[in-house]
Amino acid sequence: MKKIFILVVGTFSIFGCWPEIFKDRNGKFLSDVVPLDDFNSAFDDYNSDLPKNKSGRISFTFSSKREKKIYFNLVSFEAQFSYGKRLGLNTFRNGETGAFFTDYDWPGEFLSKVNGNFNVLGPKTVSLRDDFQSFGDSPKGSAVFYADDSGGDLDIKYVRKTEAGIEEPVSFDLLNSTKDDGYPSFSWLGDKIYFSSNREGNFDIYEVSIPRGQNERITLESLVTPKEYQIRKVEELSGLFDDRCPYIYGHTMVFVSDRPGGKGGSDIYYSTLENNKWSVPVNAGSRINTSYNEYRPILPDLVNFNYNLMIFSSDRPGGKGGFDLYMTGLNDKFK
């Protein structure tokens, strides 16, 4: 994880009101599974995206049927973490600390470009400056990746924000097939992209390998149209059942599967990268999984947190209706 240093002159920081962001407020490991009731509705809510942050305002984006009713479209809310007896994620209250990582402070602006009378799933916001290893002058700009079925099957697309504004959606042709493709996730070095697809029948997890030169600056073009690349099905994570929604953070990947041996329905599994190979997937256990369906887990990059916080969705009883969003700690150590 990158370290951020603040120069303090006298009794105040050159960053003005920002020092509070860096207080050690992550608290103890969140073992409870906490419903995100500030954002859940009576309709299906899932496929969330929470860009890098620790405290202050941040855009929380996810798929919901609350507006179109029969289609999932993306919705976005201003949110913030709360630190008390138990960690919370709540709607932003006016007057509190503003957004820290400004490259992510725009997802709500692109909704009109991507939503429609079709399903829009799996948003993933990336900053070229903060989400990838960089050397020298970091490239500017950010993008939101997602998938929609406006053409029939799910295709992965992206919307880019530059200094000139928000561009029109573009198909991520490198990852797309004639079947359903979705949920791209990127490595810190920009040399791996993971996604899921049913191009061979059931859903499997795929890996794109992109050769990177020493001290190479990661640009959006080098991610979506690399000069060289290889695509493989990740056999150690895929099987005869549906394995989908991979999300990588550090050396840990989470995904969902309906493989035998789970708690029922789709369960959350995790795997760690060891000696350039993914370990045997581990079921997240009965603290997290239920006999119902758990879906699309994410591991947001939270500055100064000392454990993997996970947000996911589930249609378990006790929610507001259909799929609801939940938050918990995956494990108490980074991998």
Side-chain angles (χ1 to χ4, degrees), residues 45-313:
D45 302 295
Y46 71 5
N47 281 212
S48 63
D49 175 44
L50 188 72
K52 178 185 294 188
N53 214 314
K54 175 177 173 62
S55 59
R57 176 169 51 85
I58 190 170
S59 294
F60 185 43
T61 305
F62 55 91
S63 300
S64 178
K65 286 187 175 179
R66 66 186 63 189
E67 295 181 0
K68 294 288 185 177
K69 305 301 186 291
I70 62 173
Y71 297 113
F72 282 103
N73 271 197
L74 298 185
V75 295
S76 187
F77 295 89
E78 292 185 346
Q80 66 182 37
F81 282 105
S82 59
Y83 301 84
K85 292 182 178 179
R86 186 176 72 178
L87 181 71
L89 183 65
N90 311 102
T91 52
F92 177 75
R93 295 184 293 274
N94 290 333
E96 300 198 10
T97 308
F100 176 64
F101 293 100
T102 55
D103 273 1
Y104 306 109
D105 193 28
W106 65 279
E109 302 174 26
F110 78 97
L111 298 181
S112 63
K113 291 184 178 291
V114 305
N115 286 332
N117 292 323
F118 42 82
N119 292 300
V120 185
L121 305 173
K124 170 60 179 174
T125 306
V126 298
S127 162
L128 295 173
R129 179 187 63 187
D130 296 312
D131 285 318
F132 300 103
Q133 180 173 261
S134 58
F135 302 92
D137 293 333
S138 300
K140 297 180 180 179
S142 53
V144 177
F145 293 83
Y146 63 97
D148 73 40
D149 60 2
S150 59
D153 296 306
L154 280 174
D155 285 327
I156 300 171
K157 300 177 180 179
Y158 62 92
V159 175
R160 180 180 187 177
K161 182 181 182 181
T162 66
E163 294 179 347
I166 301 174
E167 299 176 351
E168 294 299 314
V170 178
S171 175
F172 197 168
D173 291 337
L174 177 69
L175 306 187
N176 290 326
S177 68
T178 58
K179 299 295 184 178
D180 295 307
D181 308 284
Y183 306 101
S185 187
F186 305 86
S187 69
W188 168 245
L189 296 177
D191 60 341
K192 303 289 185 183
I193 305 172
Y194 295 92
F195 66 102
S196 56
S197 175
N198 62 355
R199 61 188 61 186
E200 294 185 17
N202 56 290
F203 278 95
D204 294 306
I205 295 173
Y206 289 83
E207 175 191 84
V208 179
S209 295
I210 304 172
R212 294 294 184 188
Q214 186 176 10
N215 299 340
E216 180 179 350
R217 297 170 72 248
I218 306 302
T219 65
L220 184 62
E221 289 73 22
S222 72
L223 288 171
V224 299
T225 55
K227 295 179 180 179
E228 298 180 49
Y229 66 91
Q230 291 184 332
I231 299 180
R232 74 174 182 104
K233 182 167 70 174
V234 186
E235 299 289 351
E236 57 266 39
L237 300 179
S238 303
L240 299 177
F241 295 82
D242 286 330
D243 304 293
R244 64 178 86 187
C245 305
Y247 194 100
I248 182 175
Y249 178 58
H251 291 102
T252 299
M253 180 189 290
V254 287
F255 64 97
V256 296
S257 177
D258 61 356
R259 63 184 62 190
K263 306 301 178 183
S266 292
D267 278 2
I268 294 172
Y269 289 78
Y270 64 90
S271 174
T272 56
L273 189 63
E274 301 171 353
N275 298 319
N276 294 318
K277 185 176 181 180
W278 290 102
S279 65
V280 175
V282 176
N283 188 288
S286 57
R287 180 177 64 86
I288 294 173
N289 291 317
T290 67
S291 59
Y292 294 83
N293 294 291
E294 280 66 51
Y295 206 69
R296 212 284 172 105
I298 66 170
L299 303 175
D301 185 357
L302 303 174
V303 176
N304 291 358
F305 268 56
N306 56 17
Y307 64 90
N308 281 320
L309 184 71
M310 180 172 68
I311 298 175
F312 66 98
S313 57

